[in-house]
Amino acid sequence: MTQLHFEDVAEGDEVTPLTVTPDATQLFFFSAATYNGHRIHYDRTWAVDVEGYPDVLVHGPLQSALLARAVTDWIGGHGRLVSFSAQNRAVAHPGQELTFGGRVTGVRLADGRGLVDLELAGRRGEDVLMPGSATVELPLRGEA
Amino acid sequence: MSTSSTQTPDLIPPEALEQVGTVVATRTGAVDQREWQRWAVAVGDHNPLWFDADHARAHGYDDVIAPPLYVQYAVLGVTRLDELRPDGSSGASSGNLAFPAAPKRMAGGESTTFHAPCYHRDEITMERRVESIVQKQGRSGAFVLVTWRTTYTNPRAEWVAEATTSMIARP
């Protein structure tokens, strides 16, 4: 992977999208890795009969981690995540294909640092399940 | 809360409201490389900064670093199985706020500013306050929105991260 530099990006550029179809195994490992016992992520009877969902739910924090992964993959090893935000707007279920990505909304130099603002979204088809935003720092050419 | 609505149920008990503005959780926990790598593979995030020390050093770090979003999990405590809520969730790190009239919980959102990277065995201290608890009216009825403000610091007394997180509870 070649390193992305501040000078390479302009408003409107796309964050390389990441497409993932979470399955029950991934949900299990994410619950385990985050010490999350919430039954809506693994107990289908609870999710359907008690909480009224059609199936178990993909964790909101897993979706936000996937959204952040799309960003950290795109900015490369010399890039830095400065801030990140995401909102859960709608639920997702295992077996559904989800796409995480975004677009550059602004570039600015601040105290010699190359900062890039991003508008992000986790989507299922055309539906935005998780809108978000981030600011990243990219190296200047000649720095790294 | 609306004054025009005649039958808006009150979903927020007074005991919960009393916690607004107070510190509801303070915890210190060690960031552990194996645990963040378990988190990363669960996300399918194989970024070599989290796994490969040579790669991390070549990019200006002293060693492998934790994925920024992982840090919130490093300080989680444990909950006895017989003290979990009926839905299996643990309230230990959020102040055990109870909303008996709105038991269906889901994560709302998160907004975090990252100041410094976390290394293996860093002792991270978290302090979490309840910023607000409000009842709102959505398309599918009334719900409670809880917002927390959380800070994370490391043993070098640096700010690691500051986060605002929220949770939605529905009847």
Side-chain angles (χ1 to χ4, degrees):
Chain A
M1 290 267 291
T2 55
Q3 175 63 49
L4 188 69
H5 290 86
F6 179 71
E7 293 85 347
D8 299 333
V9 299
E11 193 174 330
D13 283 1
E14 189 181 39
V15 174
T16 309
L18 168 70
T19 298
V20 177
T21 304
D23 61 12
T25 306
Q26 183 167 23
L27 300 197
F28 169 81
F29 273 100
F30 191 79
S31 286
T34 58
Y35 192 69
N36 183 343
H38 203 171
R39 292 165 70 173
I40 57 171
H41 303 301
Y42 58 88
D43 183 341
R44 195 170 187 280
T45 302
W46 178 275
V48 174
D49 294 349
V50 180
E51 303 227 8
Y53 294 108
D55 195 356
V56 296
L57 307 188
V58 177
H59 314 70
L62 173 55
Q63 294 181 56
S64 57
L66 290 164
L67 193 55
R69 174 185 151 198
V71 175
T72 50
D73 283 352
W74 182 68
I75 63 179
H78 285 290
R80 199 174 73 81
L81 189 61
V82 174
S83 65
F84 173 84
S85 78
Q87 294 81 45
N88 295 300
R89 186 175 285 172
V91 299
H93 302 290
Q96 296 178 340
E97 184 181 272
L98 308 177
T99 301
F100 301 89
R103 191 162 294 286
V104 174
T105 56
V107 295
R108 54 201 159 100
L109 271 172
D111 300 326
R113 299 160 71 211
L115 299 178
V116 178
D117 296 316
L118 306 171
E119 177 185 79
L120 304 172
R123 290 189 166 81
R124 179 183 52 219
E126 294 298 305
D127 294 338
V128 174
L129 306 183
M130 175 169 279
S133 62
T135 298
V136 296
E137 181 180 350
L138 290 177
L140 306 179
R141 284 217 175 272
E143 266 186 5
Chain B
M1 269 163 258
S2 167
T3 49
S4 59
S5 169
T6 49
Q7 287 183 323
T8 304
D10 197 358
L11 303 177
I12 308 173
E15 309 85 82
L17 272 184
E18 282 168 13
Q19 296 206 47
V20 173
T22 66
V23 173
V24 291
T26 306
R27 288 201 68 86
T28 295
V31 178
D32 184 277
Q33 179 177 321
R34 183 185 62 189
E35 294 200 6
W36 87 53
Q37 291 178 352
R38 286 179 173 177
W39 181 89
V41 295
V43 177
D45 184 351
H46 309 134
N47 192 321
L49 288 176
W50 332 139
F51 292 91
D52 178 346
D54 289 338
H55 177 90
R57 289 188 192 107
H59 290 85
Y61 298 101
D62 296 334
D63 199 344
V64 282
I65 57 169
L69 265 64
Y70 169 77
V71 176
Q72 59 188 304
Y73 303 108
V75 295
L76 288 181
V78 296
T79 303
R80 287 169 49 135
L81 297 185
D82 59 4
E83 291 174 359
L84 294 171
R85 299 192 188 102
D87 69 5
S89 65
S90 155
S93 59
S94 55
N96 287 310
L97 293 170
F99 301 98
K104 295 178 189 172
R105 294 163 173 259
M106 63 190 298
E110 55 188 282
S111 178
T112 308
T113 301
F114 303 99
H115 299 289
C118 281
Y119 292 98
H120 182 52
R121 294 191 175 149
D122 274 359
E123 291 273 340
I124 301 299
T125 299
M126 171 204 85
E127 186 180 272
R128 176 166 293 158
R129 283 171 196 278
V130 178
E131 189 167 84
S132 65
I133 303 177
V134 291
Q135 183 164 329
K136 296 199 165 203
Q137 192 67 32
R139 269 179 305 177
S140 54
F143 64 94
V144 179
L145 177 67
V146 182
T147 306
W148 291 275
R149 179 90 186 148
T150 309
T151 58
Y152 300 88
T153 51
N154 69 13
R156 297 174 290 283
E158 297 167 327
W159 291 107
V160 170
E162 297 170 80
T164 301
T165 52
S166 63
M167 182 269 288
I168 292 164
R170 297 179 187 281

